[in-house]
Amino acid sequence: MKTFYRYALYLILPVLLLMPGCMQKRVPPDMNLKLDKYVAFWNTGNFEGIEQVLHPDFELRMTPNFEPEKGIDTFRETVTKWRNAYPDFNITIGELLYDREKVAVRWTITATNNGPGWHPPTGRQVKVPGMSIIHFREEKIVDEWIAGNNGYWLHQLGFALVSPFEKEQ
Protein backbone atom coordinates (compact mmCIF):
# COMPACT_ATOMS: atom_id res chain seq x y z
CA MET A 1 0.00 0.00 0.00
CA LYS A 2 2.91 2.35 0.74
CA THR A 3 4.12 1.82 -2.81
CA PHE A 4 0.73 2.89 -4.17
CA TYR A 5 0.81 6.17 -2.20
CA ARG A 6 4.39 6.82 -3.26
CA TYR A 7 3.51 6.37 -6.96
CA ALA A 8 0.39 8.48 -6.52
CA LEU A 9 2.52 11.21 -4.93
CA TYR A 10 5.00 11.01 -7.84
CA LEU A 11 2.14 11.47 -10.31
CA ILE A 12 0.18 14.14 -8.46
CA LEU A 13 3.10 16.29 -7.24
CA PRO A 14 4.26 17.39 -10.74
CA VAL A 15 0.69 18.27 -11.66
CA LEU A 16 0.30 20.37 -8.52
CA LEU A 17 3.61 22.10 -9.16
CA LEU A 18 2.70 22.93 -12.77
CA MET A 19 -0.84 24.16 -12.08
CA PRO A 20 0.04 27.69 -10.88
CA GLY A 21 1.99 28.31 -14.11
CA CYS A 22 -1.01 27.26 -16.19
CA MET A 23 -3.52 29.46 -14.39
CA GLN A 24 -4.52 32.61 -16.18
CA LYS A 25 -2.77 35.58 -14.63
CA ARG A 26 -4.57 38.88 -14.57
CA VAL A 27 -3.01 42.28 -14.83
CA PRO A 28 -2.85 43.73 -11.30
CA PRO A 29 -5.70 46.20 -10.66
CA ASP A 30 -3.45 49.28 -10.25
CA MET A 31 -1.59 48.51 -13.50
CA ASN A 32 -4.86 47.79 -15.30
CA LEU A 33 -6.36 51.09 -14.11
CA LYS A 34 -3.37 53.03 -15.46
CA LEU A 35 -3.59 51.18 -18.78
CA ASP A 36 -7.30 51.99 -19.05
CA LYS A 37 -6.61 55.67 -18.40
CA TYR A 38 -3.74 55.66 -20.88
CA VAL A 39 -5.93 54.19 -23.63
CA ALA A 40 -8.61 56.74 -22.71
CA PHE A 41 -6.11 59.57 -23.40
CA TRP A 42 -5.79 58.24 -26.96
CA ASN A 43 -9.52 57.54 -27.38
CA THR A 44 -10.83 60.84 -25.99
CA GLY A 45 -8.05 63.40 -26.07
CA ASN A 46 -8.93 64.21 -22.45
CA PHE A 47 -5.68 64.36 -20.48
CA GLU A 48 -7.12 64.87 -17.00
CA GLY A 49 -4.95 63.08 -14.42
CA ILE A 50 -2.14 62.40 -16.87
CA GLU A 51 0.56 63.14 -14.28
CA GLN A 52 -0.74 60.23 -12.16
CA VAL A 53 -0.48 57.85 -15.12
CA LEU A 54 2.65 58.86 -17.06
CA HIS A 55 6.12 59.00 -15.56
CA PRO A 56 7.89 62.38 -16.00
CA ASP A 57 10.50 60.59 -18.19
CA PHE A 58 7.81 59.17 -20.51
CA GLU A 59 8.90 58.24 -24.05
CA LEU A 60 6.66 57.26 -26.97
CA ARG A 61 8.35 55.20 -29.69
CA MET A 62 6.51 54.28 -32.89
CA THR A 63 7.27 52.44 -36.09
CA PRO A 64 8.99 52.77 -38.42
CA ASN A 65 12.08 54.22 -36.70
CA PHE A 66 11.19 54.15 -32.98
CA GLU A 67 12.78 57.56 -32.37
CA PRO A 68 11.74 58.63 -28.87
CA GLU A 69 9.17 61.37 -28.44
CA LYS A 70 10.04 62.51 -24.94
CA GLY A 71 7.90 63.98 -22.21
CA ILE A 72 4.29 64.26 -21.14
CA ASP A 73 3.72 67.51 -23.09
CA THR A 74 5.04 65.90 -26.27
CA PHE A 75 2.67 62.97 -25.69
CA ARG A 76 -0.27 65.39 -25.43
CA GLU A 77 0.80 67.06 -28.69
CA THR A 78 1.16 63.72 -30.48
CA VAL A 79 -2.24 62.41 -29.37
CA THR A 80 -3.85 65.75 -30.26
CA LYS A 81 -2.31 65.64 -33.75
CA TRP A 82 -3.61 62.09 -34.29
CA ARG A 83 -7.06 63.03 -33.01
CA ASN A 84 -7.15 66.12 -35.26
CA ALA A 85 -6.41 63.97 -38.31
CA TYR A 86 -8.68 61.15 -37.10
CA PRO A 87 -11.42 62.65 -34.88
CA ASP A 88 -13.00 59.24 -34.18
CA PHE A 89 -9.64 57.59 -33.35
CA ASN A 90 -10.33 54.53 -31.18
CA ILE A 91 -8.11 51.82 -29.73
CA THR A 92 -9.67 48.50 -28.80
CA ILE A 93 -7.56 46.16 -26.68
CA GLY A 94 -7.55 42.55 -27.84
CA GLU A 95 -5.09 40.91 -25.50
CA LEU A 96 -2.80 41.78 -22.60
CA LEU A 97 0.24 39.92 -21.31
CA TYR A 98 2.16 41.25 -18.37
CA ASP A 99 5.28 40.60 -16.33
CA ARG A 100 6.07 42.72 -13.29
CA GLU A 101 6.87 46.14 -14.80
CA LYS A 102 5.77 45.65 -18.43
CA VAL A 103 2.71 44.83 -20.47
CA ALA A 104 2.42 43.57 -24.04
CA VAL A 105 -0.78 44.72 -25.71
CA ARG A 106 -2.43 43.53 -28.92
CA TRP A 107 -4.79 46.21 -30.16
CA THR A 108 -6.81 47.41 -33.12
CA ILE A 109 -7.19 51.03 -34.13
CA THR A 110 -10.23 52.22 -36.05
CA ALA A 111 -10.33 55.79 -37.30
CA THR A 112 -11.59 57.98 -40.13
CA ASN A 113 -9.20 60.43 -41.76
CA ASN A 114 -11.39 63.56 -41.72
CA GLY A 115 -8.98 66.20 -40.47
CA PRO A 116 -5.66 67.83 -41.27
CA GLY A 117 -2.55 65.87 -40.40
CA TRP A 118 0.39 64.44 -42.29
CA HIS A 119 -1.53 64.56 -45.59
CA PRO A 120 -4.83 65.99 -46.84
CA PRO A 121 -7.95 64.30 -45.37
CA THR A 122 -9.12 61.33 -47.41
CA GLY A 123 -12.43 60.69 -45.65
CA ARG A 124 -11.52 57.01 -45.54
CA GLN A 125 -11.66 54.73 -42.53
CA VAL A 126 -8.82 52.52 -41.37
CA LYS A 127 -8.83 49.42 -39.23
CA VAL A 128 -5.28 48.46 -38.32
CA PRO A 129 -4.01 45.88 -35.83
CA GLY A 130 -0.80 46.36 -33.93
CA MET A 131 1.10 45.66 -30.76
CA SER A 132 2.72 47.66 -28.01
CA ILE A 133 5.08 47.02 -25.18
CA ILE A 134 4.47 49.36 -22.26
CA HIS A 135 6.97 49.68 -19.42
CA PHE A 136 6.24 50.91 -15.90
CA ARG A 137 8.57 52.63 -13.48
CA GLU A 138 7.57 53.78 -10.01
CA GLU A 139 4.01 52.59 -10.75
CA LYS A 140 3.67 54.89 -13.78
CA ILE A 141 3.96 54.30 -17.52
CA VAL A 142 7.50 55.28 -18.55
CA ASP A 143 7.37 54.30 -22.22
CA GLU A 144 5.40 52.68 -25.00
CA TRP A 145 6.89 50.94 -28.03
CA ILE A 146 4.23 50.84 -30.77
CA ALA A 147 4.53 48.44 -33.70
CA GLY A 148 1.92 48.76 -36.43
CA ASN A 149 1.78 48.30 -40.17
CA ASN A 150 2.10 51.80 -41.62
CA GLY A 151 1.91 50.48 -45.20
CA TYR A 152 -1.40 48.76 -44.49
CA TRP A 153 -2.69 51.96 -42.84
CA LEU A 154 -1.77 54.09 -45.87
CA HIS A 155 -3.18 51.51 -48.30
CA GLN A 156 -6.58 51.76 -46.57
CA LEU A 157 -6.40 55.54 -47.03
CA GLY A 158 -5.91 55.03 -50.79
CA PHE A 159 -2.17 55.61 -51.02
CA ALA A 160 -0.07 53.25 -53.13
CA LEU A 161 3.55 52.23 -52.89
CA VAL A 162 5.19 52.86 -56.25
CA SER A 163 8.34 51.07 -57.30
CA PRO A 164 11.16 53.41 -58.37
CA PHE A 165 11.51 51.24 -61.48
CA GLU A 166 7.96 52.14 -62.57
CA LYS A 167 8.89 55.84 -62.49
CA GLU A 168 11.80 55.26 -64.91
CA GLN A 169 9.62 53.71 -67.64
Side-chain angles (χ1 to χ4, degrees), residues 133-149:
I133 298 176
I134 299 171
H135 294 97
F136 286 75
R137 184 185 318 145
E138 299 166 3
E139 299 182 10
K140 293 184 179 181
I141 297 173
V142 71
D143 67 31
E144 179 183 17
W145 292 69
I146 299 173
N149 188 329

Side-chain angles (χ1 to χ4, degrees), residues 37-38 40-50 76 79 83:
K37 288 183 179 181
Y38 182 69
F41 298 148
W42 283 99
N43 286 346
T44 66
N46 178 351
F47 301 107
E48 186 177 333
I50 195 169
R76 280 187 190 105
V79 171
R83 293 199 54 77

Side-chain angles (χ1 to χ4, degrees), residues 77-95:
E77 292 168 12
T78 298
V79 171
T80 299
K81 187 171 183 178
W82 278 97
R83 293 199 54 77
N84 285 337
Y86 300 87
D88 62 347
F89 187 98
N90 188 68
I91 299 172
T92 304
I93 303 298
E95 184 175 12

Side-chain angles (χ1 to χ4, degrees), residues 163-169:
S163 166
F165 301 111
E166 290 181 28
K167 291 180 182 179
E168 293 175 3
Q169 296 176 3

Side-chain angles (χ1 to χ4, degrees), residues 18-35:
L18 291 173
M19 278 179 58
C22 296
M23 290 181 188
Q24 185 177 7
K25 296 179 182 175
R26 295 186 184 218
V27 177
D30 57 330
M31 188 182 277
N32 200 37
L33 180 63
K34 295 217 169 94
L35 284 170

Side-chain angles (χ1 to χ4, degrees), residues 52-163:
Q52 285 74 49
V53 176
L54 297 186
H55 192 279
D57 297 333
F58 179 80
E59 292 184 356
L60 181 65
R61 297 172 177 261
M62 293 188 270
T63 54
N65 59 9
F66 296 104
E67 288 295 322
E69 297 179 20
K70 297 181 179 188
I72 294 174
D73 289 336
T74 302
F75 173 77
R76 280 187 190 105
E77 292 168 12
T78 298
V79 171
T80 299
K81 187 171 183 178
W82 278 97
R83 293 199 54 77
N84 285 337
Y86 300 87
D88 62 347
F89 187 98
N90 188 68
I91 299 172
T92 304
I93 303 298
E95 184 175 12
L96 293 171
L97 300 171
Y98 86 98
D99 180 42
R100 293 185 204 117
E101 298 292 317
K102 60 186 160 229
V103 178
V105 182
R106 183 178 51 78
W107 44 256
T108 301
I109 292 173
T110 54
T112 309
N113 181 220
N114 285 330
W118 299 267
H119 47 74
T122 63
R124 292 185 176 195
Q125 187 175 49
V126 296
K127 183 175 183 178
V128 181
M131 292 180 264
S132 294
I133 298 176
I134 299 171
H135 294 97
F136 286 75
R137 184 185 318 145
E138 299 166 3
E139 299 182 10
K140 293 184 179 181
I141 297 173
V142 71
D143 67 31
E144 179 183 17
W145 292 69
I146 299 173
N149 188 329
N150 296 347
Y152 184 55
W153 186 296
L154 291 171
H155 175 74
Q156 289 181 60
L157 293 178
F159 292 91
L161 182 63
V162 178
S163 166

